[in-house]
Amino acid sequence: FPTRRSSDLGVLFTGFDDGRVVAVGASSGEALWVANLSPRDVLNSGVFADVDSTPLVDVERGELVVVGASSGVHGLGLADGALSWTQPFKGGGSAVKAPDGSYIVASPLEGLASVAPGGGINWRTPLDPGEYGTPVIVGDTVYLSSADFGLQAFDALRGTHLAQLDTGSGMSSQPVYDGANR
């Protein structure tokens, strides 16, 4: 995320397994803000506090969207890390932005879902238990890799299952789309 000063390299955002999210000045290496999304008593709660997902910078909304393994999907202010909203969602991975502005998140526990900016579920499609990669969106289609079921395609606006490519042994990596060469 770039800043206004030309000599500054910008800001890096990352999450940690203790539930913290940190904004770091790329030029200085200093923490600009720290947000704690873990339960208050994480040691005694039995709750997995991880915020290991790749943060999503939503410049239009001025938010950083992160997903916690047990705490759900969160919107944080880019400038200060202030919590704007939370949508409970168990076991989710990284969120990606859909064409309608919502955030698509996959979880073996809760399925594939479209989370509205500010919270709320637009749609949810069940997924079989297993390990899923980060969704990739091309046009109005969500592609989702599965360690057990290969590559699946869903409608990004309604969640409808469109197709499945059986790779024989599943896929453990995230698919990539080359927009320049299609």
Side-chain angles (χ1 to χ4, degrees):
F1 179 69
T3 59
R4 288 180 171 64
R5 293 180 296 174
S6 61
S7 63
D8 195 342
L9 295 175
V11 179
L12 304 171
F13 301 98
T14 192
F16 292 92
D17 62 1
D18 67 355
R20 295 181 198 275
V21 179
V22 180
V24 177
S27 296
S28 68
E30 293 180 43
L32 303 175
W33 55 257
V34 177
N36 188 352
L37 301 175
S38 68
R40 290 179 190 223
D41 187 11
V42 72
L43 294 176
N44 297 318
S45 69
V47 173
F48 212 40
D50 285 9
V51 181
D52 289 341
S53 65
T54 301
L56 170 67
V57 176
D58 189 337
V59 175
E60 293 85 25
R61 292 187 50 83
E63 287 184 336
L64 183 72
V65 178
V66 296
V67 182
S70 63
S71 59
V73 184
H74 308 277
L76 304 172
L78 281 175
D80 59 7
L83 181 63
S84 303
W85 57 272
T86 295
Q87 174 59 51
F89 194 81
K90 301 281 186 207
S94 299
V96 295
K97 194 165 183 181
D100 65 357
S102 67
Y103 308 110
I104 306 294
V105 184
S107 162
L109 302 174
E110 298 219 22
L112 184 68
S114 168
V115 176
I121 300 287
N122 296 323
W123 55 258
R124 185 186 318 244
T125 299
L127 294 173
D128 290 320
E131 199 172 315
Y132 291 91
T134 299
V136 171
I137 299 179
V138 179
D140 288 339
T141 304
V142 177
Y143 293 94
L144 185 62
S145 62
S146 165
D148 297 316
F149 306 104
L151 185 65
Q152 299 182 58
F154 300 85
D155 182 296
L157 303 176
R158 294 184 265 326
T160 308
H161 186 263
L162 302 173
Q164 180 172 338
L165 173 64
D166 183 1
T167 58
S169 62
M171 294 176 65
S172 58
S173 64
Q174 174 182 344
V176 175
Y177 175 72
D178 179 356
N181 294 313
R182 297 181 181 244

